[in-house]
């Protein structure tokens, strides 16, 4: 299933993209799309052909409602680690984004005040469907209720030159567009072979695959659950392939107001954002 949340920001309704690409309203079935196994099961049991079709092209909101945690993995693609000049981490690099960074897949990106090095990263996102504490890798994979595109935006000067952890360069408002769809695992043949790409103003900078991901989704859920419990609706962004702005040669490239960013992952749709000044 391809699940969406559509409508005005803060008042999104649950929906589903049917086999013919039509948006159908799920409000009679569930109150919202929170990624939990219970909600996914309720939708799967419904007569989806009877759902009303939504006309027009409403705004699509974040595909997961109100995530409790927004966790991210750094340097998790072998070829991205190489382009940044660092060794592949011996364990996953874990950091957090503020949940207030979450935005819709096509909403504007706000360039923070004082920003000089705003960068892009196309990533595979996952949502947790059930409680996870000290789970195995197999249990971790089974706990993933859906996959989506995450644009893990970064302000590199805030992240790397302003002291402390990465978080201050990762959690700015609009720095976490997710969607357009939350795609259930049955729709994806192999999460280890998904093409992924990102373009800025029509120029392709990232053109990679989840095949070069070092630590796979099931392992990541298991690993994180050794340090903290995970609850339904928590989201994890799993890292990016090479081609980020700070690694461009001979001169790094960073996002400016007016730039258009497009990104996509096989089977998970596309995002489009325009940069605006905050």
């Amino acid at each position: 299933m391809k699940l969406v949340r559509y409508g005005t920001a803060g008042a999104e309704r649950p929906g589903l993209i049917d086999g013919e690409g039509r948006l159908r309203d799920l409000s009679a079935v569930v109150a919202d799309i929170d990624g939990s196994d219970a909600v996914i099961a309720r939708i799967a049991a419904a007569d989806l052909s009877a759902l009303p079709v939504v006309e027009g092209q409403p705004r699509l909101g974040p595909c997961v409602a109100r995530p409790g945690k927004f966790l991210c993995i750094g340097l998790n693609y072998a070829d991205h680690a190489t382009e940044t000049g660092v060794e592949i981490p011996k364990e996953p690099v874990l950091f957090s984004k503020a949940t207030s960074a979450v935005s819709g897949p096509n909403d504007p990106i706000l360039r923070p005040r004082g920003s000089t090095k705003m960068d892009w990263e196309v990533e595979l996102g996952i949502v947790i469907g059930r409680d996870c504490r000290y789970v195995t890798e197999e249990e971790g994979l089974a706990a993933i209720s859906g996959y989506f595109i995450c644009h893990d935006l970064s302000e590199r000067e805030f992240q790397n030159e302003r002291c402390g952890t990465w978080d201050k360069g990762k959690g700015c408002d609009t720095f976490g567009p997710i969607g357009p769809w939350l795609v259930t695992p049955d729709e994806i043949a192999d999460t280890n072979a998904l093409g992924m790409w990102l373009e800025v103003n029509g120029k392709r900078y990232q053109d990679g695959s989840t095949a070069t991901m070092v630590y796979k989704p099931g392992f990541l859920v298991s690993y994180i659950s050794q340090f903290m419990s995970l609850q339904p609706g928590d989201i994890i962004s799993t890292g990016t392939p090479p081609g980020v702005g700070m690694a461009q040669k001979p001169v790094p490239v960073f996002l400016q107001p007016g730039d258009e960013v497009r990104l996509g992952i096989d089977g998970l749709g596309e995002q489009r954002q325009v940069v605006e000044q905050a």
Side-chain angles (χ1 to χ4, degrees):
M1 296 183 294
K2 293 182 174 69
L3 307 177
V4 301
R5 301 175 65 250
Y6 71 95
T8 305
E12 292 92 348
R13 298 166 66 90
L16 173 143
I17 305 297
D18 69 16
E20 298 179 0
R22 297 173 298 188
L23 172 59
R24 292 180 178 267
D25 184 72
L26 279 170
S27 299
V29 180
V30 294
D32 212 337
I33 307 294
D34 63 5
S36 68
D37 285 349
V39 162
I40 301 295
R42 201 173 307 144
I43 296 170
D47 179 5
L48 303 181
S49 65
L51 299 173
V53 174
V54 179
E55 302 296 339
Q57 295 183 318
R59 168 190 173 269
L60 296 180
C63 60
V64 178
R66 299 173 296 279
K69 300 185 191 71
F70 192 165
L71 303 172
C72 301
I73 307 299
L75 302 171
N76 194 33
Y77 281 66
D79 38 8
H80 174 53
T82 298
E83 77 167 347
T84 57
V86 300
E87 295 183 359
I88 296 172
K90 296 179 180 179
E91 296 187 31
V93 174
L94 178 64
F95 64 93
S96 298
K97 289 176 87 82
T99 55
S100 53
V102 173
S103 60
N106 304 312
D107 291 344
I109 300 168
L110 299 180
R111 184 172 183 257
R113 296 177 185 179
S115 171
T116 59
K117 299 179 180 180
M118 184 176 169
D119 206 346
W120 57 79
E121 295 184 11
V122 58
E123 305 203 359
L124 175 68
I126 62 178
V127 63
I128 301 299
R130 66 191 71 165
D131 288 338
C132 293
R133 294 179 180 84
Y134 303 111
V135 299
T136 66
E137 184 171 350
E138 182 178 356
E139 291 168 334
L141 184 61
I144 298 171
S145 63
Y147 297 86
F148 56 88
I149 301 169
C150 178
H151 190 179
D152 175 20
L153 288 137
S154 311
E155 211 304 333
R156 302 299 189 186
E157 195 240 345
F158 295 0
Q159 175 187 354
N160 298 321
E161 302 172 36
R162 298 286 293 273
C163 301
T165 65
W166 290 4
D167 297 27
K168 66 181 71 173
K170 291 284 192 173
C172 306
D173 290 353
T174 74
F175 270 29
I178 61 173
W181 315 312
L182 176 63
V183 180
T184 51
D186 59 290
E187 296 249 346
I188 304 174
D190 185 3
T191 58
N192 297 325
L194 299 177
M196 52 203 307
W197 55 272
L198 182 144
E199 298 176 350
V200 180
N201 298 328
K203 179 177 179 179
R204 183 156 296 196
Y205 285 94
Q206 292 189 277
D207 196 356
S209 169
T210 56
T212 65
M213 186 185 292
V214 179
Y215 300 107
K216 307 300 184 182
F219 177 87
L220 292 173
V221 175
S222 172
Y223 180 83
I224 294 170
S225 78
Q226 311 306 308
F227 302 98
M228 66 189 78
S229 63
L230 296 169
Q231 283 80 42
D234 288 347
I235 59 177
I236 303 170
S237 199
T238 59
T240 198
V244 298
M246 70 175 180
Q248 298 303 307
K249 305 295 184 183
V251 180
V253 178
F254 298 111
L255 293 170
Q256 306 295 328
D259 285 347
E260 180 186 71
V261 186
R262 294 179 59 244
L263 56 151
I265 299 178
D266 291 350
L268 302 183
E270 297 184 12
Q271 297 185 359
R272 175 192 173 275
Q273 298 116 20
V274 174
V275 180
E276 298 179 358
Q277 184 62 49

